[in-house]
């Protein structure tokens, strides 16, 4: 009797505790991919605990993990704010991605399986369906997840980890710095997949490099533009920046 009661209580107890730490982390990443979390805004453990129906301890663990990769910034006495990457930080992110991702797809093109191609083609079809339906939030999320899908197919857990970090931060940088909302041209991901499908590693790498350059163009990273700083702002407020 007691064993039955315990087994019956198990699932219901789990439901009452709401989301797991891993599920909360995944949902927060999805929200960033869909550009729903505004960079620079404060976000509290208490509010997230209420939304997810869990204790603040569970939320704190999730936010701690995301803080480790730079998604949240923790400030003493203020709590967490959503990262707002600077242009210099965005440039460094894309420099690292250009070092990694072309080589990654080159390798995938030489080792891809029928199952890998099925996964990629299904993802491209899902992107196209979201684009045709005008579902921009889903499309933006899917275009970000495309790069993580490739990392998963590579079979390298370290690539998955670092590209998750870089992709999430790139999404935040796009929200801060991109001057248009055109998104990725519809053929860029599919052209990478086509090169992988025929085993052309060189072409896949070139297509990926071009794609990452397009993201840099969207962020206007090559245009000289000074970063705002607290020092310059204080000078302006004190009248040093005004014309005499």
């Amino acid at each position: 009797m007691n064993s039955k009661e315990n087994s019956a209580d198990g699932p219901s107890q789990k439901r009452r505790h709401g989301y797991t730490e891993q599920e909360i982390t995944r949902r927060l990443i999805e929200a960033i991919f869909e550009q729903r979390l505004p960079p620079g805004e404060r976000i509290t453990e208490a509010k997230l605990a209420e939304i997810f129906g869990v204790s603040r301890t569970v939320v704190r663990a999730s936010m701690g993990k995301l803080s480790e990769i730079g998604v949240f910034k923790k400030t003493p006495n203020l709590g967490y704010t959503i990262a707002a990457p600077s242009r210099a930080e965005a440039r460094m992110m894309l420099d690292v991605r250009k070092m990694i991702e072309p080589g990654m797809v080159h390798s995938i093109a030489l080792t891809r399986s029928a199952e890998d191609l099925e996964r990629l083609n299904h993802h491209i079809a899902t992107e196209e369906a979201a684009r045709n339906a005008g579902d921009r939030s889903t499309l933006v999320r899917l275009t970000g997840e495309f790069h993580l899908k490739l990392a998963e197919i590579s079979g390298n857990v370290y690539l998955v980890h670092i590209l998750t970090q870089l992709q999430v931060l790139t999404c935040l940088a796009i929200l801060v710095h991109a001057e248009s909302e055109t998104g990725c041209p519809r053929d860029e991901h599919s052209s990478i997949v086509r090169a992988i499908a025929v085993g052309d590693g060189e072409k896949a790498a070139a297509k990926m490099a071009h794609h990452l350059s397009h993201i840099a163009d969207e962020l206007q990273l090559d245009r000289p533009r000074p970063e705002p700083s607290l020092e310059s702002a204080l000078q302006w407020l004190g009248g040093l920046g005004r014309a005499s």
Side-chain angles (χ1 to χ4, degrees):
M1 182 67 176
N2 288 337
S3 61
K4 289 182 179 180
E5 287 176 354
N6 289 338
S7 62
D9 286 345
S12 62
Q13 185 74 9
K14 185 177 181 181
R15 282 195 295 273
R16 282 198 297 272
H17 279 78
Y19 289 82
T20 65
E21 172 196 323
Q22 291 78 10
E23 288 170 335
I24 292 170
T25 301
R26 178 177 56 80
R27 289 290 290 165
L28 289 170
I29 288 174
E30 286 176 353
I32 293 171
F33 278 174
E34 293 197 4
Q35 299 187 341
R36 297 181 184 275
L37 285 178
E41 290 293 319
R42 185 167 176 262
I43 188 166
T44 67
E45 293 176 359
K47 189 63 178 177
L48 288 178
E50 178 186 350
I51 289 169
F52 288 112
V54 297
S55 69
R56 290 178 62 172
T57 302
V58 177
V59 168
R60 188 176 301 121
S62 174
M63 296 181 79
K65 285 186 176 179
L66 291 173
S67 294
E68 289 175 5
I69 64 173
V71 175
F72 294 135
K73 305 289 186 181
K74 189 172 184 181
T75 306
N77 302 321
L78 291 177
Y80 295 94
T81 55
I82 302 162
S86 68
R87 295 171 64 80
E89 289 170 334
R91 186 178 292 107
M92 288 188 284
M93 291 173 212
L94 285 166
D95 284 347
V96 173
R97 293 184 63 175
K98 287 177 182 178
M99 295 175 194
I100 294 174
E101 294 188 66
M104 177 181 70
V105 296
H106 185 285
S107 177
I108 291 172
L110 302 181
T111 60
R112 81 273 184 255
S113 66
E115 182 182 356
D116 294 335
L117 294 177
E118 183 178 355
R119 289 178 65 191
L120 290 172
N121 285 323
H122 175 73
H123 189 89
I124 294 297
T126 307
E127 280 188 20
E128 192 66 13
R131 182 178 284 108
N132 291 337
D135 186 351
R136 185 178 182 280
S137 292
T138 299
L139 177 60
V140 170
R141 173 175 57 79
L142 289 169
T143 56
E145 289 177 350
F146 173 74
H147 295 265
L148 304 188
K149 188 80 65 178
L150 287 167
E152 290 168 2
I153 286 172
S154 77
N156 188 319
V157 295
Y158 299 102
L159 272 177
V160 174
H161 178 78
I162 193 170
L163 282 182
T164 298
Q165 175 184 10
L166 291 171
Q167 185 62 49
V168 171
L169 292 173
T170 299
C171 285
L172 291 171
I174 289 171
L175 272 174
V176 175
H177 301 293
E179 296 183 355
S180 69
E181 295 188 352
T182 56
C184 301
R186 68 191 310 151
D187 64 333
E188 289 195 356
H189 286 176
S190 58
S191 66
I192 294 169
V193 173
R194 286 194 297 270
I196 290 173
V198 299
D200 191 337
E202 294 293 334
K203 188 172 184 179
K207 292 291 184 180
M208 177 60 80
H210 171 77
H211 177 53
L212 294 172
S213 294
H214 173 261
I215 296 173
D217 291 342
E218 284 288 304
L219 294 174
Q220 306 289 311
L221 295 181
D222 292 331
R223 291 188 182 181
R225 183 181 300 174
E227 294 276 7
S229 69
L230 180 59
E231 181 181 356
S232 63
L234 291 175
Q235 289 178 349
W236 185 89
L237 289 169
L240 299 179
R242 299 174 188 166
S244 57

